[in-house]
């Protein structure tokens, strides 16, 4: 028999003239009749047999409607009837609990007379429950369910966190709609939580109607809801949407309950807040989700999937950005390609690329305004006023990974007003985490931390060292849109100076060099005018050298050619900036494989400087030295020796013996003496340098050991290979303690391997170079010239060790890589071809 057949209809409520107790007693009597009936005595016996207890008087009062029974009494009676019929398990009691809750509500309504018109109308229509307070957001267009990010069925507290626009509100709303549809919810309270006033108003409205009690103090009324929710047996869900400040919920948190779910959507990621419940971190769409969403909104009839995928990439797979862009495309009958062109156009503003008027899915703000609001909130947190300037700087850098070391440089520490640099550095660190707490960025702690932080304020230090700061590209775009010209100049200057200071760190790891370079190029793309005004910032030169030093000499050459074009358009040919830029360009012309062209470029530069500078000007002498060095590298070492000897003697006569340029001059002179066959002359120069370093620094200092190694190299060339190897091994012992993965350490290992092979042990040379290649591939990468050089040396010694076939294979692969990476005209290619020819010749004669 159904509930309707036996008269049990909890939604109908009492008949006219019937009290709530009489109505509920009728439900109990109908249920007893359905389960076989019986006298009061028989029913009491049934409860005792079920190991339960209901007194006869209590049972009589409940079935007559004289008194309101306890819920436990009702549960015991229903359970006893279930067992008397021999049914397995326990009976379903949930409907009885809801009926009982309805009874209490009806009695409360009769006592207080405070039922709202809406409640009275709902009751007369038989739909008092479920009840809803606050407007549930409309479903999003083409809402994309994300199974991995669903809210668990509960009960419990769940914090839906993430950046603005990832779909927190829609995910919460979809969960509520599903529960209502399934009949799993009696009560929904949806509250906007952007301010405490909004929270109090929303909770107080629900509390007043549910408890039937109001008062002059809205805070006290709102607090009553917590007690009502803790005591009710009805299922409930309270949604606190867009919580801006965790402290706004103090004293107003919904209770932990077996019947209730609390959902909080927030951009905040404070540890104290996240301890309040289970965190569900909503992330960006992945590529498949973005494509599915855009396809559902735009279709693919006139828009191929590739175009939609490209649009999603440009928008960083942010759900809100995709929604607003899709609506903009539909409103303006625009293709994704046209939208992408506008977005990439210089000076484009996100605010101009969202729908005009009503935004899709009821979202209150354009995507750009969402982040601007979050930045303001972060800037209000302690230390006040620091997060904003930090975000301005970060908006100009590489959002895929700003090295944490950059935030500890003096340039960025200056963004905090504290007079102490150490305290200011701490405040910048705190500001970064305030931005993280507002979901404006993330701090990736999986990056490789430095082995030891330098103690100089100019180097990368601080708690963020070894970590990467990541920011969504549209968050950066929105921040840049709001910068006025003075703010943009200040942010660009701070970012550029921080990069230069980051590059000054001693023993700079390759990881950090790559990150600094990527951020420098991002900065140049966003703020080129600011970096060129009033004069080019040094970062424009440093980033080019970093590019070339990483093995990309041709790319460095292209960079300096573009820089020279910009400089020539702004400065006179004889301006010191123009002349200096020509020197940088000539250097990379040589390193890219054109030493003869570089020698001519330096000679031309020298002629122009000679008109402007005195004959002993350091820049003039350095340009003349560079011209001589590259003339020698181009195949004329004797001419280089003549010129370098003259310059060396001139510098000594000018009293500059200890100058860095003079020491460099001496080293180059020794090397070209050696290249000319004068190893004794080269040895004399390097032995003098070694003795000077020993006297000044001590025999065990790394610089003294390097000078000794250079001198012993020439002794090796003169036949004393043992001395060369001993000096290199002593140097390596110190280097492996100080910097085991430094470029100088690797270079020493390479020289040891070479001298080992020349001493007559090519097999051991192969073993040493094989180990070195593994380390260079890991630390500096496959494209670095040192890595390519190691591959060349390894194959050459394989040939000498009796493995010409394997050497030929490796040299063939190396030649293809060098042609791609270095260009067809690079001087390394003829050397590789000669080594390959030697290996092939050995194969033919085996």
């Amino acid at each position: 028999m159904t509930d309707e057949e036996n008269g049990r209809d909890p939604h109908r409520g009492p008949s006219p003239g019937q009290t709530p107790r009489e109505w509920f007693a009728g439900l109990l009597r109908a249920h007893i009749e359905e389960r076989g009936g019986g006298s009061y005595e028989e029913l009491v016996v049934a409860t005792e047999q079920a190991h339960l207890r209901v007194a006869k008087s209590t049972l009589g009062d409940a079935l007559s409607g004289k008194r309101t029974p306890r819920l436990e009494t009702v549960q015991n009676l229903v359970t006893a009837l279930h067992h008397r019929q021999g049914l397995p398990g326990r009976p379903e009691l949930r409907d009885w609990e809801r009926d009982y809750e309805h009874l209490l509500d009806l009695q409360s309504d009769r006592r207080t007379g405070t039922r709202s018109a809406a409640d009275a109308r709902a009751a007369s229509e038989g739909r008092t429950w479920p009840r809803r307070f606050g407007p549930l957001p409309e479903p999003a267009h083409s809402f994309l369910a994300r199974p991995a990010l669903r809210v668990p069925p509960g009960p419990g507290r769940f914090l839906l966190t993430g950046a603005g626009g990832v779909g927190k509100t829609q995910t919460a709303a979809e969960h509520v709609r599903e529960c209502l549809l399934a009949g799993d919810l009696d009560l929904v309270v949806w509250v906007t939580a952007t301010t405490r006033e909004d929270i109090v108003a929303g909770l107080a409205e629900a509390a007043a109607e549910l408890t039937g009690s109001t008062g002059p103090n809205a805070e006290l009324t709102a607090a009553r809801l917590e007690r009502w929710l803790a005591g009710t047996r009805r299922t409930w869900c309270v949604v606190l949407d867009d919580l801006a400040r965790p402290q706004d919920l103090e004293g107003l948190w919904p209770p932990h309950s077996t019947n209730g779910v609390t959902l909080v959507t927030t951009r905040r990621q404070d540890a104290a807040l996240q301890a309040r419940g289970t965190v569900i971190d909503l992330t960006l769409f992945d590529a498949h989700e973005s494509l599915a969403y855009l396809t559902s909104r735009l279709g693919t009839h006139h828009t191929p999937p590739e175009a939609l995928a490209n649009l999603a990439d440009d928008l960083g797979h942010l759900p809100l950005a995709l929604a607003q862009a899709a609506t903009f495309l539909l409103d303006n009958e625009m293709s994704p390609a046209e939208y992408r062109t506008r977005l990439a156009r210089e000076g484009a503003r996100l605010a101009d690329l969202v729908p005009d008027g009503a935004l899709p899915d009821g979202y209150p703000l354009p995507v750009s305004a969402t982040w601007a609001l979050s930045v303001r909130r972060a800037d209000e947190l302690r230390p006040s006023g620091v997060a904003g300037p930090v975000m301005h700087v970060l908006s100009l850098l590489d959002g895929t990974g700003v090295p944490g070391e950059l935030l500890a440089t003096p340039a960025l520490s200056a963004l905090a007003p504290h007079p102490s640099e150490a305290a200011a550095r701490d405040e910048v660190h705190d500001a970064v985490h305030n931005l993280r707490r507002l979901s404006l960025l993330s701090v990736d702690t999986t990056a490789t931390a430095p082995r030891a932080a330098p103690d100089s304020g100019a180097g990368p230090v601080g708690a963020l060292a070894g970590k990467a700061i990541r920011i969504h590209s549209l968050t950066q775009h929105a921040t840049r849109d709001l910068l006025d010209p003075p703010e943009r100049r200040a942010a660009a200057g701070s970012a550029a100076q921080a990069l230069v200071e980051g590059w000054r760190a001693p023993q700079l790891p390759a990881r950090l060099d790559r990150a600094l370079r990527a951020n420098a190029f991002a900065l140049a793309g966003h703020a080129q005018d600011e970096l060129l005004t009033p004069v080019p910032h040094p970062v424009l030169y440093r980033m080019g050298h970093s590019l070339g030093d990483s093995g990309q000499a041709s790319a460095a050459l292209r960079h300096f050619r573009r820089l020279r074009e910009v400089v020539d358009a702004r400065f006179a040919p004889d301006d010191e900036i123009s002349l200096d830029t020509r020197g940088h360009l000539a250097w990379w012309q040589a390193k890219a494989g054109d030493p003869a062209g570089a020698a001519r470029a330096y000679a031309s530069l020298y002629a122009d400087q000679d008109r402007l500078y005195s004959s002993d000007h350091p820049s003039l002498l350095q340009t003349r030295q560079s011209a001589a060095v590259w003339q020698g590298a181009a195949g004329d070492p004797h001419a280089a020796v003549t010129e370098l000897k003259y310059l060396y003697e001139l510098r000594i006569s000018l009293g500059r013996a200890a100058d860095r340029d003079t020491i460099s001059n001496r080293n180059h002179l020794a090397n070209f003496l050696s290249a000319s066959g004068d190893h004794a002359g080269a040895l004399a120069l390097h032995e003098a340098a070694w003795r000077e370093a020993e006297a000044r620094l001590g025999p065990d200092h790394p610089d003294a050991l390097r000078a000794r190694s250079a001198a012993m190299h020439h002794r090796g060339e003169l036949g004393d290979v043992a001395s060369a190897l001993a000096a290199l091994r002593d140097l390596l012992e110190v280097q492996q303690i100080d910097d085991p993965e430094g470029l100088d350490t690797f270079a020493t290992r390479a020289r040891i391997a070479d001298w080992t092979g020349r001493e007559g042990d090519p097999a051991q040379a192969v073993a040493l170079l094989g180990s070195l290649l593994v380390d260079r591939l890991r630390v500096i990468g496959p494209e670095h010239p040192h890595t390519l050089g190691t591959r060349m040396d390894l194959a050459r010694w394989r040939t000498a060790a009796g493995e010409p076939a394997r050497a030929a294979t490796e040299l063939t692969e190396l030649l293809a890589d060098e042609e791609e990476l270095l260009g067809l005209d690079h001087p390394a290619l003829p050397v590789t071809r000669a080594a390959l020819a030697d290996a092939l010749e050995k194969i033919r004669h085996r």
Side-chain angles (χ1 to χ4, degrees):
M1 182 182 295
T2 65
D3 286 339
E4 287 77 8
E5 290 171 332
N6 67 26
R8 181 172 177 272
D9 185 359
H11 298 296
R12 183 183 62 196
S15 301
Q18 188 181 36
T19 68
R21 287 178 187 162
E22 292 170 344
W23 163 75
F24 191 78
L27 294 181
L28 286 174
R29 291 195 300 270
H31 185 72
I32 292 170
E33 288 299 321
E34 182 187 357
R35 298 298 187 271
S39 65
Y40 287 174
E41 289 80 2
E42 291 171 330
L43 294 175
V44 170
V45 170
T47 62
E48 291 174 346
Q49 289 175 343
H51 303 290
L52 303 168
R53 184 74 176 92
V54 176
K56 180 179 177 181
S57 59
T58 301
L59 190 60
D61 288 343
L63 295 179
S64 65
K66 290 181 179 180
R67 292 184 183 177
T68 301
R70 295 170 56 205
L71 177 60
E72 183 182 5
T73 299
V74 176
Q75 292 170 328
N76 287 348
L77 177 60
V78 171
T79 301
L81 292 170
H82 181 84
H83 287 303
R84 190 176 71 171
Q85 284 192 299
L87 298 175
R90 294 181 57 81
E92 176 55 57
L93 297 173
R94 182 162 182 169
D95 286 340
W96 282 105
E97 291 169 356
R98 292 188 179 185
D99 295 346
Y100 188 82
E101 191 78 33
H102 190 40
L103 167 66
L104 299 182
D105 288 340
L106 292 171
Q107 290 177 322
S108 175
D109 292 340
R110 290 169 65 90
R111 285 195 304 270
T112 63
T114 56
R115 296 173 70 188
S116 67
D119 275 351
R121 183 171 62 254
S124 68
E125 296 173 358
R127 54 178 183 83
T128 305
W129 295 93
R131 300 178 70 176
R132 286 164 49 177
F133 296 91
L136 193 65
E138 289 295 319
H141 290 295
S142 305
F143 177 79
L144 187 68
R146 305 169 76 182
L149 298 175
R150 292 178 67 86
V151 177
R157 284 181 183 161
F158 302 99
L159 308 177
L160 278 63
T161 65
V166 294
K168 301 181 295 294
T169 297
Q170 283 295 333
T171 298
E174 186 67 12
H175 173 76
V176 171
R177 279 190 288 269
E178 289 179 355
C179 291
L180 287 171
L181 186 63
D184 294 335
L185 274 182
D186 296 325
L187 172 67
V188 176
V189 181
W190 188 286
V191 176
T192 299
T194 50
T195 67
R196 184 169 178 92
E197 290 74 17
D198 289 338
I199 297 171
V200 168
L203 296 180
E205 177 189 359
E209 294 204 24
L210 292 170
T211 66
S213 175
T214 59
N217 188 316
E219 291 257 357
L220 294 178
T221 301
R224 289 193 185 100
L225 182 64
E226 189 271 341
R227 295 192 292 275
W228 189 92
L229 293 173
T232 185
R233 294 184 179 273
R234 292 195 177 277
T235 56
W236 53 266
C237 179
V238 176
V239 181
L240 300 157
D241 186 36
D242 195 19
L243 178 65
R245 299 180 348 129
Q247 58 266 40
D248 287 344
L249 273 177
E250 199 63 42
L252 298 175
W253 276 95
H256 287 289
S257 167
T258 57
N259 296 323
V261 171
T262 301
L263 298 181
V264 179
T265 74
T266 181
R267 280 166 261 184
R268 298 292 291 259
Q269 298 187 41
D270 306 62
L273 174 63
Q274 295 190 342
R276 290 276 193 171
T278 301
V279 176
I280 302 173
D281 187 18
L282 270 73
T283 56
L284 305 172
F285 281 160
D286 62 29
H288 297 295
E289 290 170 333
S290 293
L291 183 59
Y293 176 82
L294 289 175
T295 299
S296 67
R297 291 295 311 277
L298 301 174
T300 57
H301 181 62
H302 298 293
T303 307
E306 295 79 11
L308 297 180
N310 291 336
L311 176 61
D313 286 342
D314 285 358
L315 294 173
H317 302 278
L318 181 73
L320 177 61
L322 296 177
Q324 296 189 356
T327 302
F328 185 85
L329 294 177
L330 293 170
D331 288 348
N332 293 276
E333 297 183 351
M334 183 183 294
S335 72
E338 292 171 314
Y339 186 94
R340 294 178 64 216
T341 299
R342 287 198 188 186
L343 183 64
R345 189 175 298 153
E346 186 175 357
R349 295 174 59 85
L350 288 179
D352 298 329
L353 293 171
V354 297
D356 189 13
L359 296 172
D361 305 332
Y363 203 83
L365 297 170
V367 63
S368 55
T370 298
W371 290 308
L373 178 61
S374 294
V375 173
R376 287 199 296 273
R377 288 174 178 168
D379 206 39
E380 293 168 357
L381 299 175
R382 191 176 66 244
S384 177
V386 182
V390 169
M391 191 65 186
H392 294 171
V393 170
L394 295 177
S395 74
L396 299 174
L397 297 173
D398 178 15
T400 65
V402 178
E405 290 88 341
L406 212 59
L407 276 298
T409 56
L412 294 195
S413 296
L415 297 176
H418 203 287
S420 162
E421 184 177 321
R425 189 163 56 238
D426 290 342
E427 290 187 348
V428 170
H429 169 275
D430 293 347
V432 169
H433 283 283
N434 287 341
L435 294 165
R436 180 193 59 79
R437 288 162 66 189
L438 269 295
S439 297
L440 288 160
L441 55 80
S442 63
V443 179
D444 183 357
T445 59
T446 62
T448 304
R451 288 184 302 276
D455 56 9
S456 168
V461 294
L464 292 169
K467 301 174 183 177
I469 298 163
R470 308 193 192 283
I471 319 166
H472 194 282
S473 59
L474 293 187
T475 307
Q476 292 181 293
H477 198 318
T479 303
R480 293 194 300 270
D481 285 352
L482 298 176
L483 297 180
D484 59 32
E487 287 174 331
R488 196 179 188 92
R489 284 194 299 272
S494 296
Q497 187 58 31
L499 288 164
V500 170
E501 291 168 353
W503 262 308
R504 289 176 186 160
Q507 302 176 359
L508 188 73
R511 168 196 64 81
L512 183 54
D513 179 55
R514 287 193 299 270
L516 293 172
R517 185 167 65 251
N519 279 269
F521 275 96
L523 174 63
H526 296 311
Q528 178 172 297
D529 287 343
E530 287 78 9
L531 295 180
L532 289 167
T533 306
V535 297
H537 195 281
V539 75
L540 294 171
Y541 298 90
R542 187 63 186 83
M543 61 199 277
H545 287 293
S546 172
L547 185 66
D549 291 340
S550 72
Q552 303 177 68
S554 297
L557 178 61
R558 291 192 296 272
H559 170 78
F560 280 107
R561 280 175 175 162
R562 289 192 296 268
L563 183 56
R564 182 182 175 181
E565 290 173 1
V566 174
V567 167
D568 285 351
R570 293 171 177 250
F571 299 93
D574 288 345
D575 191 288
E576 186 174 353
I577 292 172
S578 298
L579 298 173
D580 185 53
T581 303
R582 287 169 61 188
H584 291 284
L585 175 59
W587 171 261
W588 287 108
Q589 185 176 356
K591 300 294 280 185
D594 184 13
R600 291 191 295 272
Y602 275 119
S604 173
L605 176 60
Y606 174 78
D608 290 336
Q609 288 176 324
D610 193 36
R611 293 185 292 102
L612 303 169
Y613 300 153
S614 62
S615 60
D616 60 351
H617 193 284
S619 295
L620 184 67
L621 299 182
Q622 191 61 28
T623 300
R624 187 171 178 179
Q625 174 181 309
S626 296
V629 166
W630 293 115
Q631 184 181 9
D636 193 353
H638 296 286
V641 166
T642 301
E643 187 74 351
L644 289 169
K645 186 177 291 186
Y646 168 79
L647 287 170
Y648 181 59
E649 292 171 353
L650 175 61
R651 281 168 161 148
I652 295 296
S653 69
L654 293 172
R656 300 175 185 171
D659 285 3
R660 182 177 177 179
D661 290 346
T662 305
I663 294 171
S664 170
N665 190 154
R666 180 172 61 191
N667 288 337
H668 283 301
L669 174 57
N671 291 335
F672 280 111
L673 284 170
S674 179
S676 302
D678 186 1
H679 295 295
L683 175 60
L685 286 173
H686 273 142
E687 278 197 325
W690 168 31
R691 299 306 179 190
E692 289 172 10
E694 271 195 335
R696 187 174 72 256
L697 303 170
D700 296 327
H701 191 279
D703 288 348
L705 291 172
R706 287 188 190 92
R708 175 192 169 203
S709 173
M712 294 304 100
H713 169 82
H714 300 297
R715 283 195 182 176
E717 294 291 354
L718 291 169
D720 188 0
V721 176
S723 293
L725 273 171
L728 286 167
R729 287 167 178 155
D730 288 345
L731 173 60
L732 180 62
E733 184 177 346
V734 174
Q735 288 176 324
Q736 286 184 321
I737 294 173
D738 292 344
D739 189 15
E741 295 184 347
L743 296 184
D744 287 347
T745 306
F746 288 164
T748 302
R749 289 171 61 186
R751 287 194 290 271
I752 289 174
D754 184 61
W755 280 111
T756 298
R758 293 170 67 178
E759 192 181 31
D761 192 352
Q764 180 61 17
V766 167
L768 293 171
L769 288 167
S771 174
L772 176 60
L773 179 59
V774 170
D775 289 341
R776 275 182 162 164
L777 283 168
R778 176 175 52 82
V779 175
I780 61 178
E783 299 180 355
H784 198 284
H786 293 177
T787 304
L788 297 174
T790 303
R791 291 171 62 187
M792 165 65 195
D793 292 339
L794 177 58
R796 181 167 59 86
W797 284 115
R798 280 198 196 282
T799 300
E803 298 181 86
R806 183 172 177 181
T809 300
E810 293 177 353
L811 288 166
T812 300
E813 295 172 351
L814 174 61
L815 188 60
D817 289 343
E818 286 179 334
E819 288 175 349
E820 179 182 352
L821 297 171
L822 304 177
L824 298 176
D825 298 328
H826 197 278
L829 271 67
V831 178
T832 304
R833 293 190 186 104
L836 176 58
D838 182 52
L840 294 173
E841 183 69 18
K842 291 285 196 303
I843 294 172
R844 282 194 293 270
H845 287 85
R846 291 187 70 171

